[in-house]
Structures are given as structure tokens and as C-alpha cells.
Amino acid sequence: MIKRSIVTGQQARLASRNGTHTTSTSGLAPGHLQANLIILPSRYASDFRTLCARNPVPCPLIAESAAKGCSDAFISHLKKLGGDEILGRGSDVRRDAPRYMVYKDSKLEKSHCEEVTAEWTDDHIAFLIGCSYSFETALVEAGLAPRQLVQGRNVPMYRTTMGLCAAGVFRGGTYVVSMRPYRKGDVERVREVTRRFGTMHGEPVDWGWDAVRRLGIGDIDGPEWGDGPLDEGGEVPVFWGCGVTPQEAVMRAGLEGVVMAHAPGHMLVLDARDEDIVE
Amino acid sequence: MIKRSIVTGQQARLASRNGTHTTSTSGLAPGHLQANLIILPSRYASDFRTLCARNPVPCPLIAESAAKGCSDAFISHLKKLGGDEILGRGSDVRRDAPRYMVYKDSKLEKSHCEEVTAEWTDDHIAFLIGCSYSFETALVEAGLAPRQLVQGRNVPMYRTTMGLCAAGVFRGGTYVVSMRPYRKGDVERVREVTRRFGTMHGEPVDWGWDAVRRLGIGDIDGPEWGDGPLDEGGEVPVFWGCGVTPQEAVMRAGLEGVVMAHAPGHMLVLDARDEDIVE
């Protein structure tokens, strides 16, 4: 199985680049951090940094292009890591995620395309946002393996009515959340394990069947992105902030020009590891 | 008028301590930052820091006790300021706000008392949270004076249904917001002015009459704290994150022991000034 032979971030990125890995990155290169990607015209960069600072749970900003137009070198926003340690030289965010989305004037133009080299310009800035796949290895080690990881499926992701704090052009946005089902008695341990990954969405934002109503989720079996959850009974949904949130915020903000992003679940796998960021 | 003779943070704190200033601190010592206060048993300190890190708009943590039991020296959480620059030596957070609230086992026990010296123990840790009064001088200078400041009233504050991200024992909490009415055409300038005060709640979280519904505010004329707004017509409500949020979070969390806080609107006036933190 190709997935098992991928054990480093670089291997995951190269497999994505050359088309040998094309699906969800859940479980890929265990122990390595993964990142959401959003690529914006430079005039929106300042407002986007403010959006992240004000909404760090769904939008934990971990790095950005070292300069405008730079797709292969990054400045870190994490205390303990440099840009090169997050994403080593030779990487290229335009090709190193398995699949991409392209938005034009805030409308989806391409879905699940293989790369965005043609769309990239000298005016673009790429932002890396922490991803909850990063704490899944720790959950496995704690005996709390997420179901979709075991089954090789993509995590279900939902639109919610939970409001983001407005930031410049980014207004009217709401949280996107990922969901993993757990037994009620395991939720406190799940919270403890994931709390230590503060820059990777951290602990759940909410949980339990009441949370479905509080978050304004219409149909738990019909996620907006990812694969539907398979109900095994006796479990409750547990929701985390999700790095698809910025893509939704872009759609609502009416941005002009071309915006690119990873396809939900199809992340950039990083060179940095769990132990580099756990608190 | 006593208020006009108070021009420094130290003067404001001494006037609060000796009982010559007993009301809202809106407009006091113009150009100086103001802070919300929450004082917790030490076992809740770690979860409270996580709550602030995950919800920085309503809970921007700017400083905390230099050690457990220390009410007169602080460690800064701001990049540009040391603890002594935020609150100088000789200050005492148990007496230097005009009025206080005391909670026991998460139930309000005393409202608007003059000091909390008797309740303070060696196990308590004080946290200072940024306050939106801090950007009111900048609004005045931009020709956008908040109505309640001009009228010498307390700002209206409301409970909302906008959820906080859970953090340890702090779960099920919701935002408290402050409100200042503005003409619709002025909202973008109000956003720009206050955006620069990122550690003092920053720009509004939402605005307009639709926001009343989105935030789940029942009665705009009946705020939970502060003075009711006086409608002059033709204006829309503009809502900011509010540092009363942690007091609400404490009430919901079922904390054991004694928690103290400032009375809403009756803030600690700091030695640091606007220009020390604007972005």
C-alpha cells in the first residue's frame, strides 16, 4: 500500500507532486504536522493576518510566503520553528498538496485540480494554517484512533452558524468544523490529548448531540466536505475548528482576483513533527 | 468635576482606592489603557490562559500576577511592554478599581463592593484583560466620540449566543459584547480606528440591526450591564468583544472557591498608553 511507504513530509509532498498520492492525507507520514493552504492576492494579506489573529482556533496561522510571489520559502509564525524547519527547501506549495481548489472573484472555478502553477502570480502570498490531522497520531497512541483514519476515509467537515470575528474585508464568515465520533466517556481524554496541539486547532470547540444544534449543523450524515460518518452507535460527535474556514471566509468576502487553496482533506504534509509544537 | 482632574493611570487608581472615584471609568485619564480584571484560584489558571489564547477577541490577556498570591506585580503578555510599564509599583489590584464583583462557587456573592482585600488569598492569581475603553480616545480624536462617553454614561453590555471555543473547565461560555451606536456611513472608519487596538478587543465583531439577531441579543434597550442606550435615530448598533466575557465564563464553568472581578465598566486604569500598543 503506497500510504505505508510514505514516512516523511518530503516523501508525502513528492508523492502528491508526481501523482502517486491523490487522496486524503489523513494518516500519511505519521508524526508529521500537516497544513491547510490558502493563497491570496497580496492586497488581502494584512486583513487575512488579522482574521487569523482574531480567530486562532479555526485559523491558526503557522507560516507564510517569505516574500510576495514566493512559493518555496516561508516565514514561520510559530515560536519554536523556523520557516525552513516547517517546509524544507525544494518544496513548492503550488504542486505539493494532492489536490487544489481555485476561486476567481470569490466563486469556485476549479475543484480538486492537480496543481496551481498556472494560476500563481508574482502578486500571490501563500499562508499555511494548522491542521487537525496533525494530532491524529497522538490520538492513535492514546488508544483513541479516529474512525475515519482507521477506515481510510476523509474526515467529515461541516459549515456552521458559529460566527467568526470580522477582520477587514473578511466579514460575515462562520466556522467550518471537522468531526470525529467518540464514546461520551472518552471525550475528556480526547480533549486532553488534543489541547496540547494549540496551533493545530487544539481541543474541540464543542461536542455532544446538543452541539449539532448549537453549531447550526443541518445534517450530520451529509457533511459539506469529506466522507459521511459511519454511525456505530453509542457515540457522540466531537467538533474541532477546521482550516477550510478561510476558504469559506474568502467566498463570503467577495474578494477580487484569483485565490487558491488545498482541496479539503488533501493537505500539505510538513517536515516539522508533533514534538516540535506540543505544549 | 473630579473626572477632569484625573489625567494619569496612577491618579485614577488612587481615586478609586480612596473612594473619590466610584463610577464608570469611561473617559478617565484619556490616552491611558484600561483593563478588565479577573482573579482566580491558581488551579484554574492554566485553563484560563488557554481560554484567552483560543478567544483573544473577548479575552485579550495582557498581564497576570508575577506569582501566585501577588496582587502588586505583573508579568506582561504584550510584546512591547513589561509588567511594570503596564501597572507600576505601588498599585494593588485588590483596591485600585472603583468597584468589584465577588463570586463564590460560581455564584455572585457581592456586587459593586469597594475592594476585595478580605477575599484575596495566597492562592489567587489576577489576570488583566484588555478593555475597549482604551480605544475611545482614538475614536474621539477621529471625530467619532462614543455617545455614552459624551453623556458620562456606562457603555451598554449584552449577553449573546455567540459561542466561545471551549478550554478545559471553561465550556459552554458565550461572548459578552459592548455596544456603541454609529451612523451606518461611519462604521468603516470606526472599524479602521479600532482595528489598530488588537489587544483591546480590536475592531467590532459585528454591526447593524441584523447583528442583533445573529448575536442572539433579546432586547437592545435592556443591556445586562451598563446603562441602556439612548436612541437618537438613524444609527446602527456596533458590537465589540467585552472583557466581562470571562466573568460569564466563570459563572457557567461551575468553578469552586472564590473568584473576584471588577464591576462591569469600573476598570483598572493602567500606566501604559495608547501609543504603546497600537498596531
Side-chain angles (χ1 to χ4, degrees):
Chain A
M1 186 182 170
I2 183 84
K3 268 192 162 183
R4 302 235 167 165
S5 69
I6 293 175
V7 295
T8 71
Q10 193 184 32
Q11 286 170 349
R13 295 195 301 275
L14 287 178
S16 300
R17 190 189 292 192
N18 66 28
T20 55
H21 182 80
T22 60
T23 56
S24 164
T25 51
S26 176
L28 222 58
H32 289 79
L33 303 177
Q34 301 200 19
N36 297 273
L37 176 68
I38 186 118
I39 299 168
L40 298 171
S42 63
R43 65 186 174 284
Y44 300 121
S46 174
D47 283 352
F48 186 73
R49 290 182 200 109
T50 305
L51 181 77
C52 293
R54 285 165 66 80
N55 301 281
V57 170
C59 309
L61 182 57
I62 60 175
E64 66 176 89
S65 291
K68 197 164 71 170
C70 180
S71 67
D72 60 358
F74 286 80
I75 297 166
S76 172
H77 287 281
L78 298 177
K79 278 180 202 162
K80 296 185 205 165
L81 288 172
D84 277 6
E85 294 168 302
I86 293 173
L87 207 49
R89 294 279 164 175
S91 61
D92 181 347
V93 295
R94 303 171 301 178
R95 301 186 282 162
D96 288 353
R99 288 290 182 263
Y100 291 85
M101 312 290 262
V102 178
Y103 300 88
K104 191 171 178 188
D105 298 337
S106 288
K107 295 210 161 50
L108 185 64
E109 187 158 275
K110 288 188 187 178
S111 180
H112 292 77
C113 55
E114 291 174 23
E115 56 170 79
V116 290
T117 312
E119 287 83 1
W120 179 277
T121 72
D122 284 350
D123 183 53
H124 278 107
I125 296 179
F127 294 93
L128 305 187
I129 307 284
C131 170
S132 59
Y133 287 171
S134 305
F135 55 57
E136 291 189 332
T137 304
L139 285 169
V140 170
E141 286 169 359
L144 297 162
R147 171 112 34 87
Q148 98 284 343
L149 175 65
V150 175
Q151 296 174 335
R153 292 163 66 87
N154 197 352
V155 71
M157 293 164 268
Y158 304 86
R159 282 199 185 97
T160 75
T161 55
M162 184 171 174
L164 294 176
C165 291
V169 295
F170 299 99
R171 40 192 284 193
T174 58
Y175 279 57
V176 174
V177 294
S178 65
M179 192 280 280
R180 295 164 184 81
Y182 281 100
R183 286 181 304 178
K184 205 169 176 181
D186 286 335
V187 171
E188 280 307 311
R189 282 176 59 228
V190 167
R191 296 182 71 206
E192 280 166 27
V193 169
T194 57
R195 184 173 302 140
R196 300 179 66 211
F197 292 78
T199 53
M200 299 289 150
H201 305 301
E203 66 187 274
V205 293
D206 208 343
W207 57 92
W209 291 107
D210 283 355
V212 178
R213 178 185 50 76
R214 278 193 296 270
L215 293 171
I217 292 170
D219 178 10
I220 196 74
D221 293 320
E224 275 77 18
W225 302 272
D227 296 321
L230 303 177
D231 188 9
E232 294 200 350
E235 293 177 329
V236 298
V238 181
F239 298 100
W240 280 265
C242 175
V244 176
T245 302
Q247 294 190 42
E248 277 290 281
V250 161
M251 299 270 273
R252 300 237 187 164
L255 303 193
E256 293 174 1
V258 174
V259 171
M260 299 157 255
H262 70 290
H266 301 67
M267 321 305 291
L268 264 181
V269 184
L270 306 180
D271 294 318
R273 300 179 62 95
D274 296 2
E275 58 264 30
D276 296 327
I277 58 112
V278 289
E279 292 151 16
Chain B
M1 189 181 169
I2 184 82
K3 268 192 161 183
R4 302 235 167 164
S5 69
I6 294 175
V7 295
T8 71
Q10 192 183 33
Q11 287 171 347
R13 295 195 301 275
L14 287 177
S16 300
R17 190 189 293 193
N18 67 28
T20 54
H21 183 80
T22 60
T23 56
S24 163
T25 50
S26 174
L28 223 59
H32 289 79
L33 303 177
Q34 301 199 18
N36 297 273
L37 178 66
I38 187 116
I39 299 168
L40 298 171
S42 63
R43 66 186 174 283
Y44 300 121
S46 174
D47 283 351
F48 186 72
R49 289 183 200 107
T50 305
L51 180 77
C52 294
R54 285 165 65 82
N55 302 280
V57 170
C59 309
L61 182 56
I62 59 176
E64 65 176 271
S65 292
K68 197 164 73 172
C70 180
S71 66
D72 60 359
F74 286 79
I75 296 167
S76 172
H77 287 282
L78 298 177
K79 277 181 204 161
K80 296 186 205 165
L81 288 171
D84 278 7
E85 293 169 301
I86 293 173
L87 207 49
R89 294 280 164 173
S91 60
D92 181 348
V93 295
R94 302 172 302 178
R95 301 185 283 161
D96 287 353
R99 289 289 183 264
Y100 291 86
M101 312 291 262
V102 178
Y103 300 87
K104 191 172 178 187
D105 297 338
S106 289
K107 293 211 162 50
L108 185 64
E109 186 158 276
K110 287 187 186 178
S111 179
H112 292 78
C113 54
E114 291 174 23
E115 56 171 80
V116 290
T117 312
E119 286 82 1
W120 180 276
T121 72
D122 284 350
D123 183 53
H124 278 107
I125 295 179
F127 294 92
L128 305 187
I129 306 283
C131 170
S132 59
Y133 286 172
S134 305
F135 56 56
E136 291 189 332
T137 303
L139 285 169
V140 170
E141 286 169 359
L144 297 163
R147 170 110 35 86
Q148 97 285 342
L149 174 65
V150 175
Q151 296 173 335
R153 293 163 65 86
N154 197 351
V155 72
M157 293 163 268
Y158 304 86
R159 280 196 186 100
T160 75
T161 55
M162 183 172 173
L164 295 176
C165 292
V169 295
F170 298 99
R171 42 193 282 193
T174 59
Y175 278 58
V176 174
V177 294
S178 65
M179 191 281 280
R180 295 164 184 81
Y182 281 100
R183 286 181 303 177
K184 205 169 176 181
D186 286 335
V187 170
E188 280 306 311
R189 283 176 58 230
V190 167
R191 295 182 72 205
E192 280 167 25
V193 169
T194 58
R195 184 172 303 140
R196 300 179 65 211
F197 292 79
T199 53
M200 300 288 149
H201 305 302
E203 67 186 273
V205 293
D206 209 344
W207 58 92
W209 292 107
D210 283 355
V212 177
R213 179 185 49 75
R214 277 192 296 270
L215 294 171
I217 292 172
D219 178 9
I220 195 76
D221 294 320
E224 275 77 18
W225 303 271
D227 297 321
L230 303 177
D231 188 9
E232 294 199 350
E235 293 177 330
V236 297
V238 182
F239 298 100
W240 280 266
C242 176
V244 175
T245 303
Q247 293 191 43
E248 279 288 282
V250 161
M251 299 271 273
R252 300 237 188 163
L255 302 194
E256 293 175 1
V258 174
V259 170
M260 298 157 257
H262 71 289
H266 301 67
M267 321 305 289
L268 264 181
V269 185
L270 306 180
D271 294 319
R273 299 180 61 96
D274 296 1
E275 58 264 30
D276 297 327
I277 57 113
V278 288
E279 291 150 18

